[in-house]
């Protein structure tokens, strides 16, 4: 089955910048993750854990396997308060 093409991926140019800005954070959540592109900050030196949430499963499961993925409405994440060191999402949102 071919992967569903996401209509609003952000540019790869943001990934090194995000990796640098988040370098001291143990974990990061993208609550509106789409295809999970944020996980590729690992390719730019980010050492922490990447959590991705996307309400649409066909996009979420295109994310890299090293990320922790949830598929729910971002208002009802399956994590306790203050679980993440940082939150990062597409500048569009």
């Amino acid at each position: 089955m071919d992967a569903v093409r996401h209509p609003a991926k952000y540019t790869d140019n943001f990934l090194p910048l995000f990796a640098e800005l988040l370098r001291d954070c143990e974990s990061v959540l993208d609550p509106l993750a789409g295809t999970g592109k944020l996980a590729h900050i690992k390719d730019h030196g980010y050492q922490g854990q990447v959590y991705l949430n996307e309400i649409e499963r066909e996009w979420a499961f295109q994310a890299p396997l090293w990320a922790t993925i949830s598929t729910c409405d971002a208002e009802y994440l399956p994590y306790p308060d203050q679980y993440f060191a940082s939150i990062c999402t597409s500048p569009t949102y």
Side-chain angles (χ1 to χ4, degrees), residues 11-88:
T11 179
D12 290 337
N13 294 338
F14 287 128
L15 296 171
L17 175 62
F18 292 160
E20 175 66 21
L21 292 170
L22 296 165
R23 73 177 177 271
D24 295 328
C25 296
E26 293 177 8
S27 61
V28 59
L29 165 69
D30 185 344
L32 309 167
T35 60
K37 199 167 191 180
L38 181 67
H40 291 285
I41 61 176
K42 292 274 201 178
D43 299 336
H44 299 277
Y46 178 72
Q47 299 294 310
Q49 178 64 37
V50 178
Y51 293 84
L52 305 170
N53 182 72
E54 173 54 49
I55 198 168
E56 299 195 44
R57 297 175 68 81
E58 67 271 17
W59 295 340
F61 290 105
Q62 292 181 46
L65 297 177
W66 61 83
T68 301
I69 302 167
S70 56
T71 56
C72 64
D73 185 320
E75 285 190 81
Y76 306 104
L77 293 170
Y79 304 100
D81 290 348
Q82 301 179 359
Y83 189 80
F84 303 103
S86 58
I87 296 174
C88 181

